[in-house]
Amino acid sequence: SAVLSKNARSKIYKSESSGLIFSELTKNDFQEFYQLYVQHVRSLGSQPHPEGYFNHILNAYDWGQNLFMFGVRYNGKLIGGNLMILNKDYLEVKFLSDDRTYHYLYANNFLYAKMLQWAFNHQVNFIDFGGIPKSMQTNIDFKASFGAKNYPIYTKYFFRNFSQMLKFRFFRRSLYLKKYYRLMFKKLIS
């Protein structure tokens, strides 16, 4: 509990008193998790991975041995979930999902607190909460409230040819402009 910030502890207490239920999900819950994931990713303005992508992950790992899904339910409905991969004492949160209409219940705080408790009970020494861009400061602060440290991630892209690189750069910039058009407009008029 010393690692958790006072703010995180407060939200966990609130979530515990609101009737949230934590559970270790099974393969039978995957479809429900996937639908929540799609809704979550689209609400962020991104494109979700196709279901086949997840099927490759499900087939590459052993459920309950090194592949786990945790969920939070409210009145029986799945409102938050994490899909994680365990490698010895290293737990990596690969995918997360939540229903934004229930943010006031602090389901993610509840989910991460239970995940940390589970990890402690299973001798996990390192938890990778996943990478996020610097522009998502709220997410960075959320993870830091659970004791996460920020480490830089370096990405190198390789292209078959010059036109592929130009297409990629154009696509990335168009996504940025689509997401931050107001910011770009303000820069243009100032």
Side-chain angles (χ1 to χ4, degrees):
S1 150
V3 174
L4 299 177
S5 74
K6 182 179 179 182
N7 185 30
R9 285 193 306 271
S10 171
K11 289 178 179 176
I12 292 165
Y13 296 140
K14 287 177 186 175
S15 67
E16 287 174 337
S17 64
S18 64
L20 298 181
I21 305 292
F22 170 81
S23 65
E24 196 170 320
L25 302 177
T26 68
K27 273 189 176 181
N28 294 335
D29 298 307
F30 172 73
Q31 207 47 248
E32 190 178 11
F33 171 85
Y34 181 73
Q35 293 306 316
L36 186 60
Y37 159 79
V38 168
Q39 173 191 339
H40 171 79
V41 171
R42 286 187 177 149
S43 75
L44 297 172
S46 296
Q47 189 66 28
H49 290 290
E51 192 172 340
Y53 179 86
F54 283 91
N55 288 330
H56 288 299
I57 293 171
L58 297 177
N59 292 329
Y61 295 93
D62 294 321
W63 196 276
Q65 297 298 312
N66 56 8
L67 180 67
F68 299 91
M69 272 191 338
F70 295 153
V72 173
R73 294 188 183 279
Y74 182 66
N75 292 332
K77 180 182 179 186
L78 186 67
I79 63 168
N82 283 347
L83 186 143
M84 298 154 304
I85 295 173
L86 179 66
N87 184 7
K88 297 178 185 167
D89 66 344
Y90 178 93
L91 183 68
E92 180 182 7
V93 178
K94 288 300 278 182
F95 296 97
L96 58 100
S97 59
D98 70 339
D99 187 331
R100 299 182 126 202
T101 57
Y102 294 96
H103 271 196
Y104 68 96
L105 294 173
Y106 304 111
N108 281 335
N109 297 76
F110 183 70
L111 179 62
Y112 273 70
K114 294 296 186 180
M115 179 185 68
L116 289 173
Q117 188 177 41
W118 181 93
F120 178 78
N121 292 335
H122 288 81
Q123 288 76 46
V124 171
N125 291 317
F126 188 84
I127 301 175
D128 182 345
F129 285 167
I132 47 177
K134 288 182 183 178
S135 62
M136 298 180 78
Q137 190 61 45
T138 305
N139 290 18
I140 292 169
D141 294 342
F142 171 80
K143 292 175 181 186
S145 74
F146 284 88
K149 303 272 189 276
N150 206 1
Y151 293 98
I153 297 175
Y154 301 98
T155 304
K156 180 73 176 169
Y157 296 100
F158 296 93
F159 302 100
R160 289 188 196 111
N161 54 46
F162 184 71
S163 64
Q164 187 186 34
M165 180 190 69
L166 288 176
K167 184 178 176 183
F168 175 80
R169 286 185 176 173
F170 176 77
F171 178 73
R172 291 289 294 255
R173 288 187 178 150
S174 66
L175 283 177
Y176 181 84
L177 288 173
K178 184 178 176 182
K179 192 169 185 178
Y180 299 106
Y181 68 93
R182 288 187 181 129
L183 176 66
M184 297 307 293
F185 183 71
K186 286 180 184 177
K187 285 183 178 182
L188 288 173
I189 61 172
S190 58

